[in-house]
Amino acid sequence: MRNFIRRANRLPVFAYPAYQRLFPVLKSLAFALVSLFCFQDHASAKEACLTCHESLANEKVVHAALKMGCQTCHTAIDAREVPHKKSGKAPRGLSADQPGLCYGCHDKTRFMKPHVHAAVGMGCTGCHNPHSSKNPKLLLSEVPDLCYTCHDKKKFSGKSVHAPVGIGMCGSCHDPHASKNAKLLTAEQPDLCFTCHEQKGFGGKNIHAPVAGGMCLGCHRPHAAEFPVLLHKEPMDVCLECHADVRKKPHAVSGFSPLGGHPLGEPKRMKQSRERKYLDDPSRPGRRFYCGSCHFPHGSDNPRLLRGTDFGLCQICHKK
Ligand code: HEC
Ligand code: HEC
Ligand code: HEC
Ligand code: HEC
Ligand code: HEC
Ligand code: HEC
Ligand code: HEC
Ligand code: HEC
Ligand code: HEC
Ligand code: HEC
Ligand code: HEC
């Protein structure tokens, strides 16, 4: 632009006195032309917009799209007047509705997998600020608080909370946008669990049928539970859900016990106080006695998933 003016200065026609007097007029005309060009140049138009909308681009993380000018997205705003004139159907003078607006620059296929987060359909700005943000990835707030703006936080707390949930790593199991797996999971069951829990811990000569079938969630909650070890019920009741028969006849020691079998893990009525208390597991300090005291829940080299063989099993607890 400066070159243009400099070249204008060198033009021989300006040697004539009449034109020379006209020169200041021509010069300002040239400036007007130049500033018209400037206004169409998005970068400096952005500066113009920011004189009034400064706070939009102030935060630590700024959307790279802003460098291309406000009017890459707000194509239908005429800001020469305030309030601005808006044309087009999309709100706020935008070139398109969301998410189409964002797909103009961001690969659509990433958001079009078989399972799409309903929040994406509601618009990307439910989670991202389109201009700038104090949080990484332009997020409105950090994960997990972001998730709790729409999902009830109470469902992610309880007496036992899964470690990655407790530290807010929702992204370790869910894609926030879309996934080929149901529930936006980053991997299928049970492979998802094995990304953090070593698979060989669930093996043995005998693998419990629901574990072999990958049904970890048949017994555990993925986020949090009111019962120990993320179980969705009292531990004994989890087992009885599928093995109701066990309770119908004396179990394990019917021949020995005059009382009709070994206790299974139900609370016992105390002699003095008459209140019912759960028994402790003599072999595992701090744990409650129940089916899992004699059986491994996942797998074992012993038959019947037992924690010991023959009399050895009894001796884990009855040491005499
Ligand atoms: C990547 C596209 C994009 C760019 C670039 C962009 N905007 Fe926006 N802008 C949006 C979207 C989307 C909304 C609507 C947000 C909503 O409804 O939640 C918006 C809303 C606004 C609003 C309404 C108030 C608000 O905060 O929601 C103003 C003002 C605004 N933009 C100004 C600007 C200015 C000034 C620039 C340049 C510095 C700019 N925009 C650049 C996408 C963009
Ligand atoms: C002279 C100050 C000023 C300038 C310059 C300015 N704006 Fe605004 N803008 C405002 C005010 C005041 C409002 C709120 C009133 C309104 O809704 O129009 C506003 C509102 C907006 C909105 C929201 C409209 C809506 O539907 O809610 C957008 C988007 C916007 N401006 C974009 C821009 C862009 C893009 C530019 C630069 C091309 C720009 N503004 C330049 C003062 C300004
Ligand atoms: C005009 C092009 C353009 C449009 C339209 C656009 N973006 Fe971007 N966006 C970019 C570029 C360029 C980057 C930086 C390179 C990258 O990360 O892909 C970026 C990066 C991002 C990032 C990552 C920021 C970071 O710090 O890593 C997010 C989140 C984002 N955009 C969201 C959106 C949303 C939401 C919309 C729609 C409201 C949108 N973009 C529309 C060009 C655009
Ligand atoms: C439910 C909230 C939510 C919605 C809705 C959402 N995002 Fe995101 N987005 C996130 C989170 C969380 C991250 C950070 C992921 C990470 O750090 O691994 C992210 C990251 C991104 C990134 C940068 C990192 C990357 O994966 O490349 C882009 C770009 C992006 N989102 C674009 C969009 C667009 C475009 C839309 C709308 C089609 C959208 N997002 C809708 C939550 C959301
Ligand atoms: C803007 C609101 C909003 C935000 C923020 C949001 N979600 Fe959602 N999410 C929804 C809606 C709506 C549904 C569908 C209804 C439902 O299942 O509750 C949904 C469903 C889900 C589902 C189940 C998907 C399915 O296929 O059944 C998962 C998983 C999920 N969200 C995870 C997240 C995570 C992780 C975050 C934080 C990164 C998050 N959401 C943030 C609105 C939101
Ligand atoms: C260890 C992996 C893991 C982590 C971490 C995790 N989730 Fe999930 N989430 C799952 C699994 C597995 C399901 C599917 C449950 C089912 O199918 O019954 C699920 C389901 C969901 C659903 C759908 C509602 C439902 O119960 O079916 C939402 C919403 C959700 N998760 C949100 C979140 C949020 C928010 C966070 C972070 C606070 C989070 N998840 C962390 C594994 C996880
Ligand atoms: C992102 C890593 C990660 C993934 C994925 C994951 N876990 Fe965990 N899980 C942990 C960590 C860390 C702990 C706590 C340390 C430990 O006990 O190993 C834990 C502990 C547990 C516990 C014991 C909780 C307690 O209170 O003692 C159970 C049960 C569990 N996970 C089940 C699952 C199931 C089922 C899945 C698949 C749906 C899964 N985990 C996926 C990281 C993960
Ligand atoms: C039949 C119900 C059941 C199934 C299915 C099941 N679990 Fe468990 N799981 C339990 C019980 C009960 C415990 C507590 C055992 C105890 O009392 O020590 C447990 C404990 C755990 C623990 C805590 C550490 C440990 O070994 O004591 C993790 C981690 C775990 N399970 C992960 C998984 C994963 C991953 C799957 C799927 C591959 C799975 N579980 C399938 C019932 C089950
Ligand atoms: C989701 C249903 C389900 C739950 C919950 C469940 N089981 Fe099983 N269990 C099965 C199935 C199916 C089999 C294999 C069929 C059979 O032998 O009856 C099995 C077999 C067994 C066996 C016999 C294994 C063998 O080698 O003969 C034992 C012992 C056992 N389960 C103990 C438990 C214990 C202890 C719990 C609680 C931690 C439990 N089960 C919870 C479904 C379940
Ligand atoms: C004191 C240890 C002990 C406790 C507690 C215990 N079991 Fe057993 N269980 C055994 C032994 C020993 C066997 C093997 C009996 C046999 O092979 O004849 C067995 C066998 C089984 C079998 C295989 C088929 C059958 O019915 O005999 C199942 C299923 C089973 N138990 C489930 C359970 C469940 C469910 C609970 C809790 C409600 C439980 N067990 C509590 C020791 C125990
Ligand atoms: C995991 C620990 C554990 C194992 C293994 C175990 N027991 Fe027990 N046993 C207990 C507990 C706890 C009680 C209840 C004590 C009480 O009532 O205070 C009990 C009670 C008994 C009783 C008394 C029955 C009653 O109703 O008062 C007999 C008999 C018995 N066990 C025999 C056996 C035999 C035989 C085996 C091997 C097959 C065995 N136990 C394996 C923990 C165990």
Side-chain angles (χ1 to χ4, degrees), residues 24-320:
V25 183
L26 276 174
K27 202 171 163 184
S28 49
L29 254 170
F31 265 117
L33 248 160
V34 164
S35 48
L36 199 74
F37 277 121
C38 274
F39 200 72
Q40 284 179 351
D41 175 40
H42 285 332
S44 28
K46 186 191 87 179
E47 300 304 321
C49 307
L50 287 179
T51 53
C52 297
H53 295 293
E54 192 195 358
S55 62
L56 287 182
N58 258 352
E59 299 289 359
K60 199 168 78 192
V61 184
V62 179
H63 194 188
L66 254 57
K67 285 203 198 86
M68 304 174 212
C70 311
Q71 280 159 322
T72 18
C73 294
H74 296 283
T75 46
I77 282 250
D78 180 351
R80 280 173 299 189
E81 291 167 45
V82 176
H84 308 321
K85 275 204 203 101
K86 281 171 284 180
S87 48
K89 271 182 273 164
R92 305 198 189 275
L94 292 165
S95 62
D97 281 318
Q98 291 183 58
L101 173 72
C102 312
Y103 297 156
C105 299
H106 293 283
D107 183 9
K108 189 175 174 173
T109 54
R110 287 185 45 204
F111 304 91
M112 307 285 276
K113 294 171 187 164
H115 301 273
V116 180
H117 197 181
V120 168
M122 292 154 70
C124 314
T125 49
C127 294
H128 296 285
N129 189 312
H131 308 120
S132 73
S133 164
K134 63 176 173 0
N135 304 307
K137 311 284 177 198
L138 298 169
L139 292 172
L140 297 185
S141 57
E142 280 185 271
V143 178
D145 290 334
L146 175 72
C147 314
Y148 298 148
T149 56
C150 300
H151 296 285
D152 188 0
K153 189 176 178 176
K154 271 191 252 130
K155 289 189 182 156
F156 302 88
S157 60
K159 289 210 181 96
S160 69
V161 176
H162 202 187
V165 172
I167 56 172
M169 283 170 56
C170 312
S172 61
C173 296
H174 297 288
D175 190 303
H177 304 131
S179 167
K180 64 178 165 54
N181 305 308
K183 307 282 178 194
L184 306 171
L185 294 173
T186 49
E188 273 180 271
Q189 291 284 28
D191 295 341
L192 174 71
C193 312
F194 297 146
T195 57
C196 298
H197 298 284
E198 257 193 279
Q199 182 162 9
K200 68 175 195 278
F202 300 88
K205 276 186 204 141
N206 303 296
I207 301 175
H208 197 190
V211 175
M215 289 169 51
C216 309
L217 299 182
C219 298
H220 297 289
R221 288 265 182 267
H223 305 131
E226 283 311 312
F227 304 99
V229 209
L230 298 171
L231 295 169
H232 65 90
K233 281 187 176 175
E234 283 297 350
M236 183 184 73
D237 295 332
V238 170
C239 308
L240 290 174
E241 224 171 50
C242 298
H243 298 288
D245 285 352
V246 165
R247 215 183 201 166
K248 289 181 188 153
K249 44 188 197 278
H251 193 69
V253 286
S254 50
F256 287 87
S257 167
L259 299 173
H262 203 278
L264 295 174
E266 48 282 84
K268 189 184 172 188
R269 195 183 293 277
M270 296 290 118
K271 279 200 186 92
Q272 293 90 358
S273 61
R274 308 198 112 248
E275 86 186 285
R276 292 170 72 83
K277 268 198 182 149
Y278 285 102
L279 298 169
D280 292 330
D281 182 338
S283 68
R284 301 190 303 159
R287 306 258 197 141
R288 192 188 283 174
F289 175 79
Y290 77 110
C291 322
S293 303
C294 293
H295 298 283
F296 284 108
H298 305 132
S300 165
D301 283 338
N302 302 326
R304 308 285 190 215
L305 306 172
L306 290 167
R307 288 185 185 265
T309 44
D310 305 324
F311 217 59
L313 172 71
C314 319
Q315 285 170 328
I316 309 177
C317 298
H318 301 287
K319 298 195 170 92
K320 277 188 275 182

